[in-house]
Amino acid sequence: MAFHAQSTVEVPEPLWLREFPRTAVVALSAKLGGVIRRKQVRVVSYAIENSEFSELVGNVPCRRFVRLVLSAFLKLYLRYAVDFVVFGTPGAQRAYAAVWPRAERYPVILELPASRGGRTRARQGLVFLGETSPRKGVDVAMSSWELLEVEFPDAVFSIAGTGPLDDAITRWCRANPGQRRFLGLLRHEEALELIGSALVLVAPSVREKRWREQVGLPISEALSLGLTVVTTDETGLAGYLSSRGHQVVRSEMLSPQSLAAAMSAALASPLPMSRVSGDLPAIHGRHRSHEVLHGGSGD
């Protein structure tokens, strides 16, 4: 790695702590290779981690000592090895700024999708797509839907994905098959078709230990197809979604009742699909970030 010919090397983001030792080796090897070849090498990263460093360390043995040592090395790495960073969300920039004040100098390019265009057939109902686990909030969403089924008798709540709550979801759907549907794990094309048939995406993720929703692929896919999104402020896109009229519930206030109110508002008055699509960039934010990181060099 130290002798590669690239002038720009993109490495994983530093707050991906599990990979950080390997990332540091790659970055420092690239820098060393540049010194040996007498050629400047830029080390760049794309960052979307929005949990702060202290939360990511978790409850490891000798936590205080580990945190101090890792924090010191992380700060040295960020100061001397990283030349440029693009943040995919404002939350990511804030998380890095807590250990690296220079983070505020670098740009935020929202990880937003480009529009896929709306589906032509009529849309109805809500959809949850993803891991069927408590951290994704599907259990809260199910309880919320129970409060709304009388209010929206013609609407169906479809759940797609797989995880530890599959059996519970199956039993729940059997109690009211006319308004509850569990589709299991879908192929990507099938998932897009499901999203494109719905009015509202429900994605009420909650923090679990060191995990926090960074962006959320279902949110990205839903926006690209013009859906109204109901989510929590855990996603890094919460500020964007709230400012555009989507429903964002504060995580500390999340309950079946608060989520039901957001779902009801979204179903009763969904955002115009053309408006959701019109707010999106011409190209995917991740692709735009890649162009900025590499300066059009093609490395």
Side-chain angles (χ1 to χ4, degrees):
M1 176 60 71
F3 299 97
H4 61 73
Q6 292 176 302
S7 61
T8 300
V9 177
E10 183 174 347
V11 297
E13 64 173 303
L15 283 183
W16 187 10
L17 296 185
R18 186 176 62 186
E19 288 294 313
F20 179 57
R22 186 182 307 176
T23 297
V25 169
V26 171
L28 294 173
S29 296
K31 289 290 189 181
L32 177 60
V35 172
I36 292 172
R37 298 192 321 273
R38 297 182 180 179
K39 178 182 179 181
Q40 183 178 7
V41 175
R42 295 173 70 249
V43 172
V44 302
S45 284
Y46 177 72
I48 56 173
E49 178 58 67
N50 57 357
S51 291
E52 292 190 5
F53 171 77
S54 60
E55 298 171 331
L56 293 171
V57 173
N59 294 316
V60 298
C62 305
R63 179 182 178 184
R64 180 176 174 81
F65 175 76
V66 170
R67 185 170 58 189
L68 288 172
V69 172
L70 187 55
S71 175
F73 188 63
L74 181 64
K75 290 176 181 178
L76 288 172
Y77 171 81
L78 288 166
R79 181 173 182 179
Y80 294 108
V82 178
D83 297 293
F84 198 82
V85 176
V86 171
F87 298 104
T89 68
Q93 188 183 51
R94 288 192 296 271
Y96 277 86
V99 292
W100 187 38
R102 199 171 73 181
E104 296 179 355
R105 302 180 186 177
Y106 297 111
V108 175
I109 299 177
L110 287 179
E111 190 173 300
L112 291 170
S115 173
R116 293 178 182 270
R119 295 291 190 263
T120 56
R121 69 182 185 184
R123 298 187 180 198
Q124 58 184 350
L126 311 90
V127 61
F128 171 95
L129 180 68
E131 179 184 290
T132 56
S133 67
R135 72 177 188 175
K136 292 292 187 175
V138 65
D139 52 340
V140 181
M142 290 158 57
S143 297
S144 299
W145 184 235
E146 291 175 9
L147 302 175
L148 297 177
E149 288 172 328
V150 173
E151 181 182 352
F152 298 98
D154 297 325
V156 176
F157 183 27
S158 300
I159 298 173
T162 188
L165 296 181
D166 285 359
D167 290 343
I169 295 170
T170 299
R171 292 192 297 271
W172 181 74
C173 289
R174 287 174 182 163
N176 185 3
Q179 290 186 274
R180 307 172 187 176
R181 186 168 60 145
F182 183 39
L183 302 171
L185 186 63
L186 302 179
R187 298 193 308 271
H188 184 244
E189 296 79 9
E190 294 172 326
L192 287 178
E193 188 66 23
L194 173 65
I195 295 172
S197 69
L199 280 172
V200 176
L201 174 88
V202 183
S205 62
V206 295
R207 263 183 244 202
E208 183 180 87
K209 298 180 181 178
R210 289 178 288 175
W211 180 86
R212 185 181 185 186
E213 192 76 74
Q214 295 174 344
V215 174
L217 181 58
I219 292 176
S220 181
E221 299 285 28
L223 290 174
S224 75
L225 290 167
L227 271 68
T228 301
V229 174
V230 176
T231 187
T232 66
D233 58 3
E234 293 302 313
T235 171
L237 294 180
Y240 169 87
L241 293 169
S242 180
S243 69
R244 264 65 177 188
H246 298 271
Q247 298 291 323
V248 179
V249 180
R250 291 171 56 190
S251 55
E252 63 267 26
M253 302 295 292
L254 182 65
S255 67
Q257 292 74 23
S258 63
L259 185 62
M263 292 164 63
S264 175
L267 261 184
S269 300
L271 297 171
M273 288 182 288
S274 59
R275 176 178 161 187
V276 175
S277 299
D279 285 339
L280 298 176
I283 62 173
H284 197 292
R286 183 63 182 92
H287 298 157
R288 176 60 183 148
S289 295
H290 180 83
E291 292 177 355
V292 172
L293 286 171
H294 293 269
S297 65
D299 285 342

mmCIF file with all atom_site columns, all heavy atoms in Angstrom, residues 41-63:
data_model
loop_
_atom_site.group_PDB
_atom_site.id
_atom_site.type_symbol
_atom_site.label_atom_id
_atom_site.label_alt_id
_atom_site.label_comp_id
_atom_site.label_asym_id
_atom_site.label_entity_id
_atom_site.label_seq_id
_atom_site.pdbx_PDB_ins_code
_atom_site.Cartn_x
_atom_site.Cartn_y
_atom_site.Cartn_z
_atom_site.occupancy
_atom_site.B_iso_or_equiv
_atom_site.pdbx_formal_charge
_atom_site.auth_seq_id
_atom_site.auth_comp_id
_atom_site.auth_asym_id
_atom_site.auth_atom_id
_atom_site.pdbx_PDB_model_num
ATOM 1   N N   . VAL A 1 41 ? 0.294   12.902 -1.260 1.00 0.00 ? 41 VAL A N   1
ATOM 2   C CA  . VAL A 1 41 ? -0.852  12.001 -1.258 1.00 0.00 ? 41 VAL A CA  1
ATOM 3   C C   . VAL A 1 41 ? -1.914  12.568 -0.327 1.00 0.00 ? 41 VAL A C   1
ATOM 4   O O   . VAL A 1 41 ? -1.626  12.871 0.835  1.00 0.00 ? 41 VAL A O   1
ATOM 5   C CB  . VAL A 1 41 ? -0.460  10.585 -0.790 1.00 0.00 ? 41 VAL A CB  1
ATOM 6   C CG1 . VAL A 1 41 ? -1.702  9.697  -0.668 1.00 0.00 ? 41 VAL A CG1 1
ATOM 7   C CG2 . VAL A 1 41 ? 0.537   9.967  -1.763 1.00 0.00 ? 41 VAL A CG2 1
ATOM 8   N N   . ARG A 1 42 ? -3.110  12.735 -0.850 1.00 0.00 ? 42 ARG A N   1
ATOM 9   C CA  . ARG A 1 42 ? -4.239  13.223 -0.051 1.00 0.00 ? 42 ARG A CA  1
ATOM 10  C C   . ARG A 1 42 ? -5.023  12.042 0.487  1.00 0.00 ? 42 ARG A C   1
ATOM 11  O O   . ARG A 1 42 ? -5.429  11.159 -0.268 1.00 0.00 ? 42 ARG A O   1
ATOM 12  C CB  . ARG A 1 42 ? -5.176  14.105 -0.880 1.00 0.00 ? 42 ARG A CB  1
ATOM 13  C CG  . ARG A 1 42 ? -4.571  15.390 -1.378 1.00 0.00 ? 42 ARG A CG  1
ATOM 14  C CD  . ARG A 1 42 ? -5.521  16.113 -2.323 1.00 0.00 ? 42 ARG A CD  1
ATOM 15  N NE  . ARG A 1 42 ? -6.691  16.659 -1.649 1.00 0.00 ? 42 ARG A NE  1
ATOM 16  C CZ  . ARG A 1 42 ? -7.929  16.211 -1.805 1.00 0.00 ? 42 ARG A CZ  1
ATOM 17  N NH1 . ARG A 1 42 ? -8.180  15.201 -2.611 1.00 0.00 ? 42 ARG A NH1 1
ATOM 18  N NH2 . ARG A 1 42 ? -8.948  16.786 -1.171 1.00 0.00 ? 42 ARG A NH2 1
ATOM 19  N N   . VAL A 1 43 ? -5.253  12.027 1.796  1.00 0.00 ? 43 VAL A N   1
ATOM 20  C CA  . VAL A 1 43 ? -6.099  11.026 2.426  1.00 0.00 ? 43 VAL A CA  1
ATOM 21  C C   . VAL A 1 43 ? -7.445  11.675 2.736  1.00 0.00 ? 43 VAL A C   1
ATOM 22  O O   . VAL A 1 43 ? -7.502  12.705 3.412  1.00 0.00 ? 43 VAL A O   1
ATOM 23  C CB  . VAL A 1 43 ? -5.459  10.474 3.709  1.00 0.00 ? 43 VAL A CB  1
ATOM 24  C CG1 . VAL A 1 43 ? -6.438  9.566  4.453  1.00 0.00 ? 43 VAL A CG1 1
ATOM 25  C CG2 . VAL A 1 43 ? -4.189  9.701  3.372  1.00 0.00 ? 43 VAL A CG2 1
ATOM 26  N N   . VAL A 1 44 ? -8.520  11.085 2.223  1.00 0.00 ? 44 VAL A N   1
ATOM 27  C CA  . VAL A 1 44 ? -9.847  11.679 2.365  1.00 0.00 ? 44 VAL A CA  1
ATOM 28  C C   . VAL A 1 44 ? -10.817 10.640 2.911  1.00 0.00 ? 44 VAL A C   1
ATOM 29  O O   . VAL A 1 44 ? -10.583 9.430  2.811  1.00 0.00 ? 44 VAL A O   1
ATOM 30  C CB  . VAL A 1 44 ? -10.360 12.235 1.019  1.00 0.00 ? 44 VAL A CB  1
ATOM 31  C CG1 . VAL A 1 44 ? -9.402  13.284 0.460  1.00 0.00 ? 44 VAL A CG1 1
ATOM 32  C CG2 . VAL A 1 44 ? -10.559 11.107 0.000  1.00 0.00 ? 44 VAL A CG2 1
ATOM 33  N N   . SER A 1 45 ? -11.910 11.123 3.482  1.00 0.00 ? 45 SER A N   1
ATOM 34  C CA  . SER A 1 45 ? -12.939 10.241 4.038  1.00 0.00 ? 45 SER A CA  1
ATOM 35  C C   . SER A 1 45 ? -14.322 10.828 3.812  1.00 0.00 ? 45 SER A C   1
ATOM 36  O O   . SER A 1 45 ? -14.488 12.054 3.739  1.00 0.00 ? 45 SER A O   1
ATOM 37  C CB  . SER A 1 45 ? -12.736 10.029 5.543  1.00 0.00 ? 45 SER A CB  1
ATOM 38  O OG  . SER A 1 45 ? -11.684 9.147  5.808  1.00 0.00 ? 45 SER A OG  1
ATOM 39  N N   . TYR A 1 46 ? -15.294 9.947  3.735  1.00 0.00 ? 46 TYR A N   1
ATOM 40  C CA  . TYR A 1 46 ? -16.700 10.327 3.709  1.00 0.00 ? 46 TYR A CA  1
ATOM 41  C C   . TYR A 1 46 ? -17.293 9.868  5.030  1.00 0.00 ? 46 TYR A C   1
ATOM 42  O O   . TYR A 1 46 ? -17.119 8.705  5.430  1.00 0.00 ? 46 TYR A O   1
ATOM 43  C CB  . TYR A 1 46 ? -17.416 9.658  2.544  1.00 0.00 ? 46 TYR A CB  1
ATOM 44  C CG  . TYR A 1 46 ? -18.896 9.930  2.486  1.00 0.00 ? 46 TYR A CG  1
ATOM 45  C CD1 . TYR A 1 46 ? -19.377 11.185 2.127  1.00 0.00 ? 46 TYR A CD1 1
ATOM 46  C CD2 . TYR A 1 46 ? -19.817 8.926  2.779  1.00 0.00 ? 46 TYR A CD2 1
ATOM 47  C CE1 . TYR A 1 46 ? -20.736 11.436 2.067  1.00 0.00 ? 46 TYR A CE1 1
ATOM 48  C CE2 . TYR A 1 46 ? -21.176 9.169  2.719  1.00 0.00 ? 46 TYR A CE2 1
ATOM 49  C CZ  . TYR A 1 46 ? -21.628 10.426 2.365  1.00 0.00 ? 46 TYR A CZ  1
ATOM 50  O OH  . TYR A 1 46 ? -22.982 10.667 2.309  1.00 0.00 ? 46 TYR A OH  1
ATOM 51  N N   . ALA A 1 47 ? -17.979 10.747 5.757  1.00 0.00 ? 47 ALA A N   1
ATOM 52  C CA  . ALA A 1 47 ? -18.405 10.443 7.120  1.00 0.00 ? 47 ALA A CA  1
ATOM 53  C C   . ALA A 1 47 ? -19.899 10.647 7.319  1.00 0.00 ? 47 ALA A C   1
ATOM 54  O O   . ALA A 1 47 ? -20.431 11.711 6.980  1.00 0.00 ? 47 ALA A O   1
ATOM 55  C CB  . ALA A 1 47 ? -17.622 11.306 8.114  1.00 0.00 ? 47 ALA A CB  1
ATOM 56  N N   . ILE A 1 48 ? -20.552 9.627  7.906  1.00 0.00 ? 48 ILE A N   1
ATOM 57  C CA  . ILE A 1 48 ? -21.975 9.738  8.233  1.00 0.00 ? 48 ILE A CA  1
ATOM 58  C C   . ILE A 1 48 ? -22.276 9.271  9.656  1.00 0.00 ? 48 ILE A C   1
ATOM 59  O O   . ILE A 1 48 ? -23.438 9.263  10.059 1.00 0.00 ? 48 ILE A O   1
ATOM 60  C CB  . ILE A 1 48 ? -22.864 8.963  7.243  1.00 0.00 ? 48 ILE A CB  1
ATOM 61  C CG1 . ILE A 1 48 ? -22.453 7.496  7.174  1.00 0.00 ? 48 ILE A CG1 1
ATOM 62  C CG2 . ILE A 1 48 ? -22.849 9.620  5.873  1.00 0.00 ? 48 ILE A CG2 1
ATOM 63  C CD1 . ILE A 1 48 ? -23.398 6.640  6.334  1.00 0.00 ? 48 ILE A CD1 1
ATOM 64  N N   . GLU A 1 49 ? -21.245 8.885  10.409 1.00 0.00 ? 49 GLU A N   1
ATOM 65  C CA  . GLU A 1 49 ? -21.482 8.464  11.794 1.00 0.00 ? 49 GLU A CA  1
ATOM 66  C C   . GLU A 1 49 ? -21.932 9.665  12.623 1.00 0.00 ? 49 GLU A C   1
ATOM 67  O O   . GLU A 1 49 ? -21.243 10.673 12.681 1.00 0.00 ? 49 GLU A O   1
ATOM 68  C CB  . GLU A 1 49 ? -20.203 7.872  12.398 1.00 0.00 ? 49 GLU A CB  1
ATOM 69  C CG  . GLU A 1 49 ? -20.343 7.454  13.855 1.00 0.00 ? 49 GLU A CG  1
ATOM 70  C CD  . GLU A 1 49 ? -21.438 6.438  14.072 1.00 0.00 ? 49 GLU A CD  1
ATOM 71  O OE1 . GLU A 1 49 ? -21.291 5.291  13.593 1.00 0.00 ? 49 GLU A OE1 1
ATOM 72  O OE2 . GLU A 1 49 ? -22.449 6.810  14.716 1.00 0.00 ? 49 GLU A OE2 1
ATOM 73  N N   . ASN A 1 50 ? -23.096 9.542  13.249 1.00 0.00 ? 50 ASN A N   1
ATOM 74  C CA  . ASN A 1 50 ? -23.622 10.680 14.012 1.00 0.00 ? 50 ASN A CA  1
ATOM 75  C C   . ASN A 1 50 ? -23.707 10.415 15.514 1.00 0.00 ? 50 ASN A C   1
ATOM 76  O O   . ASN A 1 50 ? -24.327 11.188 16.255 1.00 0.00 ? 50 ASN A O   1
ATOM 77  C CB  . ASN A 1 50 ? -24.980 11.138 13.463 1.00 0.00 ? 50 ASN A CB  1
ATOM 78  C CG  . ASN A 1 50 ? -26.013 10.028 13.457 1.00 0.00 ? 50 ASN A CG  1
ATOM 79  O OD1 . ASN A 1 50 ? -25.719 8.891  13.818 1.00 0.00 ? 50 ASN A OD1 1
ATOM 80  N ND2 . ASN A 1 50 ? -27.225 10.344 13.045 1.00 0.00 ? 50 ASN A ND2 1
ATOM 81  N N   . SER A 1 51 ? -23.090 9.331  15.973 1.00 0.00 ? 51 SER A N   1
ATOM 82  C CA  . SER A 1 51 ? -22.942 9.095  17.404 1.00 0.00 ? 51 SER A CA  1
ATOM 83  C C   . SER A 1 51 ? -21.611 9.664  17.859 1.00 0.00 ? 51 SER A C   1
ATOM 84  O O   . SER A 1 51 ? -20.590 9.505  17.175 1.00 0.00 ? 51 SER A O   1
ATOM 85  C CB  . SER A 1 51 ? -22.987 7.602  17.732 1.00 0.00 ? 51 SER A CB  1
ATOM 86  O OG  . SER A 1 51 ? -24.267 7.068  17.518 1.00 0.00 ? 51 SER A OG  1
ATOM 87  N N   . GLU A 1 52 ? -21.602 10.312 19.004 1.00 0.00 ? 52 GLU A N   1
ATOM 88  C CA  . GLU A 1 52 ? -20.368 10.898 19.491 1.00 0.00 ? 52 GLU A CA  1
ATOM 89  C C   . GLU A 1 52 ? -19.405 9.819  19.967 1.00 0.00 ? 52 GLU A C   1
ATOM 90  O O   . GLU A 1 52 ? -19.799 8.708  20.325 1.00 0.00 ? 52 GLU A O   1
ATOM 91  C CB  . GLU A 1 52 ? -20.652 11.894 20.617 1.00 0.00 ? 52 GLU A CB  1
ATOM 92  C CG  . GLU A 1 52 ? -21.390 13.135 20.131 1.00 0.00 ? 52 GLU A CG  1
ATOM 93  C CD  . GLU A 1 52 ? -21.451 14.225 21.189 1.00 0.00 ? 52 GLU A CD  1
ATOM 94  O OE1 . GLU A 1 52 ? -20.835 14.052 22.259 1.00 0.00 ? 52 GLU A OE1 1
ATOM 95  O OE2 . GLU A 1 52 ? -22.105 15.244 20.938 1.00 0.00 ? 52 GLU A OE2 1
ATOM 96  N N   . PHE A 1 53 ? -18.127 10.191 19.979 1.00 0.00 ? 53 PHE A N   1
ATOM 97  C CA  . PHE A 1 53 ? -17.062 9.252  20.304 1.00 0.00 ? 53 PHE A CA  1
ATOM 98  C C   . PHE A 1 53 ? -17.300 8.552  21.640 1.00 0.00 ? 53 PHE A C   1
ATOM 99  O O   . PHE A 1 53 ? -17.134 7.331  21.760 1.00 0.00 ? 53 PHE A O   1
ATOM 100 C CB  . PHE A 1 53 ? -15.723 10.001 20.328 1.00 0.00 ? 53 PHE A CB  1
ATOM 101 C CG  . PHE A 1 53 ? -14.586 9.196  20.864 1.00 0.00 ? 53 PHE A CG  1
ATOM 102 C CD1 . PHE A 1 53 ? -13.982 8.222  20.081 1.00 0.00 ? 53 PHE A CD1 1
ATOM 103 C CD2 . PHE A 1 53 ? -14.117 9.408  22.149 1.00 0.00 ? 53 PHE A CD2 1
ATOM 104 C CE1 . PHE A 1 53 ? -12.933 7.473  20.575 1.00 0.00 ? 53 PHE A CE1 1
ATOM 105 C CE2 . PHE A 1 53 ? -13.073 8.663  22.655 1.00 0.00 ? 53 PHE A CE2 1
ATOM 106 C CZ  . PHE A 1 53 ? -12.473 7.693  21.864 1.00 0.00 ? 53 PHE A CZ  1
ATOM 107 N N   . SER A 1 54 ? -17.716 9.290  22.657 1.00 0.00 ? 54 SER A N   1
ATOM 108 C CA  . SER A 1 54 ? -17.913 8.703  23.982 1.00 0.00 ? 54 SER A CA  1
ATOM 109 C C   . SER A 1 54 ? -18.989 7.625  23.965 1.00 0.00 ? 54 SER A C   1
ATOM 110 O O   . SER A 1 54 ? -18.918 6.641  24.708 1.00 0.00 ? 54 SER A O   1
ATOM 111 C CB  . SER A 1 54 ? -18.270 9.793  24.999 1.00 0.00 ? 54 SER A CB  1
ATOM 112 O OG  . SER A 1 54 ? -19.463 10.462 24.613 1.00 0.00 ? 54 SER A OG  1
ATOM 113 N N   . GLU A 1 55 ? -19.996 7.771  23.107 1.00 0.00 ? 55 GLU A N   1
ATOM 114 C CA  . GLU A 1 55 ? -21.049 6.768  22.996 1.00 0.00 ? 55 GLU A CA  1
ATOM 115 C C   . GLU A 1 55 ? -20.560 5.534  22.250 1.00 0.00 ? 55 GLU A C   1
ATOM 116 O O   . GLU A 1 55 ? -20.971 4.408  22.549 1.00 0.00 ? 55 GLU A O   1
ATOM 117 C CB  . GLU A 1 55 ? -22.259 7.357  22.286 1.00 0.00 ? 55 GLU A CB  1
ATOM 118 C CG  . GLU A 1 55 ? -22.898 8.535  23.015 1.00 0.00 ? 55 GLU A CG  1
ATOM 119 C CD  . GLU A 1 55 ? -23.965 9.224  22.182 1.00 0.00 ? 55 GLU A CD  1
ATOM 120 O OE1 . GLU A 1 55 ? -23.853 9.187  20.945 1.00 0.00 ? 55 GLU A OE1 1
ATOM 121 O OE2 . GLU A 1 55 ? -24.891 9.780  22.771 1.00 0.00 ? 55 GLU A OE2 1
ATOM 122 N N   . LEU A 1 56 ? -19.670 5.732  21.285 1.00 0.00 ? 56 LEU A N   1
ATOM 123 C CA  . LEU A 1 56 ? -19.186 4.628  20.478 1.00 0.00 ? 56 LEU A CA  1
ATOM 124 C C   . LEU A 1 56 ? -18.240 3.716  21.243 1.00 0.00 ? 56 LEU A C   1
ATOM 125 O O   . LEU A 1 56 ? -18.148 2.530  20.952 1.00 0.00 ? 56 LEU A O   1
ATOM 126 C CB  . LEU A 1 56 ? -18.480 5.163  19.225 1.00 0.00 ? 56 LEU A CB  1
ATOM 127 C CG  . LEU A 1 56 ? -19.372 5.877  18.215 1.00 0.00 ? 56 LEU A CG  1
ATOM 128 C CD1 . LEU A 1 56 ? -18.534 6.558  17.146 1.00 0.00 ? 56 LEU A CD1 1
ATOM 129 C CD2 . LEU A 1 56 ? -20.337 4.893  17.573 1.00 0.00 ? 56 LEU A CD2 1
ATOM 130 N N   . VAL A 1 57 ? -17.509 4.276  22.205 1.00 0.00 ? 57 VAL A N   1
ATOM 131 C CA  . VAL A 1 57 ? -16.591 3.450  22.990 1.00 0.00 ? 57 VAL A CA  1
ATOM 132 C C   . VAL A 1 57 ? -17.361 2.405  23.784 1.00 0.00 ? 57 VAL A C   1
ATOM 133 O O   . VAL A 1 57 ? -16.938 1.254  23.902 1.00 0.00 ? 57 VAL A O   1
ATOM 134 C CB  . VAL A 1 57 ? -15.737 4.328  23.924 1.00 0.00 ? 57 VAL A CB  1
ATOM 135 C CG1 . VAL A 1 57 ? -14.901 3.458  24.855 1.00 0.00 ? 57 VAL A CG1 1
ATOM 136 C CG2 . VAL A 1 57 ? -14.824 5.228  23.106 1.00 0.00 ? 57 VAL A CG2 1
ATOM 137 N N   . GLY A 1 58 ? -18.523 2.791  24.316 1.00 0.00 ? 58 GLY A N   1
ATOM 138 C CA  . GLY A 1 58 ? -19.361 1.845  25.027 1.00 0.00 ? 58 GLY A CA  1
ATOM 139 C C   . GLY A 1 58 ? -18.778 1.427  26.362 1.00 0.00 ? 58 GLY A C   1
ATOM 140 O O   . GLY A 1 58 ? -17.851 2.035  26.894 1.00 0.00 ? 58 GLY A O   1
ATOM 141 N N   . ASN A 1 59 ? -19.321 0.341  26.904 1.00 0.00 ? 59 ASN A N   1
ATOM 142 C CA  . ASN A 1 59 ? -18.916 -0.143 28.224 1.00 0.00 ? 59 ASN A CA  1
ATOM 143 C C   . ASN A 1 59 ? -17.838 -1.216 28.117 1.00 0.00 ? 59 ASN A C   1
ATOM 144 O O   . ASN A 1 59 ? -18.022 -2.360 28.516 1.00 0.00 ? 59 ASN A O   1
ATOM 145 C CB  . ASN A 1 59 ? -20.137 -0.698 28.968 1.00 0.00 ? 59 ASN A CB  1
ATOM 146 C CG  . ASN A 1 59 ? -21.142 0.384  29.289 1.00 0.00 ? 59 ASN A CG  1
ATOM 147 O OD1 . ASN A 1 59 ? -20.783 1.466  29.725 1.00 0.00 ? 59 ASN A OD1 1
ATOM 148 N ND2 . ASN A 1 59 ? -22.408 0.090  29.062 1.00 0.00 ? 59 ASN A ND2 1
ATOM 149 N N   . VAL A 1 60 ? -16.704 -0.847 27.544 1.00 0.00 ? 60 VAL A N   1
ATOM 150 C CA  . VAL A 1 60 ? -15.585 -1.774 27.438 1.00 0.00 ? 60 VAL A CA  1
ATOM 151 C C   . VAL A 1 60 ? -14.837 -1.818 28.763 1.00 0.00 ? 60 VAL A C   1
ATOM 152 O O   . VAL A 1 60 ? -14.924 -0.896 29.573 1.00 0.00 ? 60 VAL A O   1
ATOM 153 C CB  . VAL A 1 60 ? -14.636 -1.348 26.301 1.00 0.00 ? 60 VAL A CB  1
ATOM 154 C CG1 . VAL A 1 60 ? -15.350 -1.377 24.976 1.00 0.00 ? 60 VAL A CG1 1
ATOM 155 C CG2 . VAL A 1 60 ? -14.053 0.031  26.573 1.00 0.00 ? 60 VAL A CG2 1
ATOM 156 N N   . PRO A 1 61 ? -14.076 -2.885 29.017 1.00 0.00 ? 61 PRO A N   1
ATOM 157 C CA  . PRO A 1 61 ? -13.259 -2.914 30.234 1.00 0.00 ? 61 PRO A CA  1
ATOM 158 C C   . PRO A 1 61 ? -12.282 -1.745 30.255 1.00 0.00 ? 61 PRO A C   1
ATOM 159 O O   . PRO A 1 61 ? -11.745 -1.362 29.211 1.00 0.00 ? 61 PRO A O   1
ATOM 160 C CB  . PRO A 1 61 ? -12.529 -4.264 30.121 1.00 0.00 ? 61 PRO A CB  1
ATOM 161 C CG  . PRO A 1 61 ? -13.409 -5.100 29.247 1.00 0.00 ? 61 PRO A CG  1
ATOM 162 C CD  . PRO A 1 61 ? -14.015 -4.138 28.259 1.00 0.00 ? 61 PRO A CD  1
ATOM 163 N N   . CYS A 1 62 ? -12.038 -1.197 31.438 1.00 0.00 ? 62 CYS A N   1
ATOM 164 C CA  . CYS A 1 62 ? -11.147 -0.044 31.583 1.00 0.00 ? 62 CYS A CA  1
ATOM 165 C C   . CYS A 1 62 ? -11.571 1.085  30.636 1.00 0.00 ? 62 CYS A C   1
ATOM 166 O O   . CYS A 1 62 ? -10.752 1.688  29.939 1.00 0.00 ? 62 CYS A O   1
ATOM 167 C CB  . CYS A 1 62 ? -9.692  -0.437 31.323 1.00 0.00 ? 62 CYS A CB  1
ATOM 168 S SG  . CYS A 1 62 ? -9.095  -1.788 32.336 1.00 0.00 ? 62 CYS A SG  1
ATOM 169 N N   . ARG A 1 63 ? -12.883 1.353  30.617 1.00 0.00 ? 63 ARG A N   1
ATOM 170 C CA  . ARG A 1 63 ? -13.442 2.280  29.626 1.00 0.00 ? 63 ARG A CA  1
ATOM 171 C C   . ARG A 1 63 ? -12.752 3.639  29.645 1.00 0.00 ? 63 ARG A C   1
ATOM 172 O O   . ARG A 1 63 ? -12.434 4.191  28.592 1.00 0.00 ? 63 ARG A O   1
ATOM 173 C CB  . ARG A 1 63 ? -14.935 2.447  29.882 1.00 0.00 ? 63 ARG A CB  1
ATOM 174 C CG  . ARG A 1 63 ? -15.602 3.423  28.910 1.00 0.00 ? 63 ARG A CG  1
ATOM 175 C CD  . ARG A 1 63 ? -17.068 3.594  29.233 1.00 0.00 ? 63 ARG A CD  1
ATOM 176 N NE  . ARG A 1 63 ? -17.686 4.576  28.332 1.00 0.00 ? 63 ARG A NE  1
ATOM 177 C CZ  . ARG A 1 63 ? -18.944 4.982  28.444 1.00 0.00 ? 63 ARG A CZ  1
ATOM 178 N NH1 . ARG A 1 63 ? -19.709 4.501  29.399 1.00 0.00 ? 63 ARG A NH1 1
ATOM 179 N NH2 . ARG A 1 63 ? -19.424 5.877  27.616 1.00 0.00 ? 63 ARG A NH2 1
#
